[in-house]
Amino acid sequence: MSIQIAEPQVGLSNAAAEKARLLIEEESNESLKLRVFVTGGGCSGFEYGFTFDEDLEEDDTTFHNSGVDLVVDSLSYQYLVGSVVDYREDLQGSRFVVDNPNAETTCGCGNSFSI
């Protein structure tokens, strides 16, 4: 009897997938993928970043939702395991955000975190 353990995922909410799909359609480039990454900085130590990218690197991991590819590089992946990328429109504006269960603290802007 073998036991299969699912690889930890990084999710893409339906709202984020729909917004990304609309932005990709506006660019008329079906090759674009939403990339989420983590960099050093921000008021809590690490900062989330988002970009649209056509290219995949050898160490990228790709997740899918509603026809949209979410790409995470191997360095950022360790900080994002179990997270969900969402899209929100509220008093702070409209933006992609990361709901990260690994973050011990986050700053008020929601773009910075520590582990």
Side-chain angles (χ1 to χ4, degrees):
M1 178 172 166
S2 67
I3 298 174
Q4 291 185 344
I5 299 173
E7 181 178 330
Q9 301 272 325
V10 177
L12 182 64
S13 74
N14 291 337
E18 183 171 329
K19 183 61 177 181
R21 191 172 27 49
L22 289 172
L23 293 170
I24 290 167
E25 286 174 4
E26 284 178 13
E27 292 297 318
S28 300
N29 184 350
E30 294 297 317
S31 299
L32 290 175
K33 299 152 190 56
L34 178 61
R35 180 178 291 277
V36 60
F37 55 92
V38 174
T39 60
C43 43
S44 295
F46 294 104
E47 200 166 22
Y48 301 113
F50 297 93
T51 187
F52 285 95
D53 201 345
E54 286 183 295
D55 301 319
L56 288 176
E57 300 299 324
E58 189 175 300
D59 65 342
D60 285 342
T61 303
T62 305
F63 304 95
H64 311 279
N65 183 1
S66 302
V68 174
D69 292 333
L70 175 68
V71 179
V72 182
D73 65 87
S74 63
L75 183 60
S76 299
Y77 184 83
Q78 63 186 322
Y79 299 108
L80 295 170
V81 170
S83 297
V84 175
V85 173
D86 195 11
Y87 182 78
R88 294 194 186 133
E89 293 180 3
D90 56 25
L91 293 175
Q92 293 179 346
S94 53
R95 66 210 180 282
F96 289 103
V97 296
V98 177
D99 292 323
N100 188 341
N102 306 306
E104 291 182 7
T105 60
T106 59
C107 75
C109 69
N111 287 335
S112 180
F113 70 102
S114 68
I115 293 188

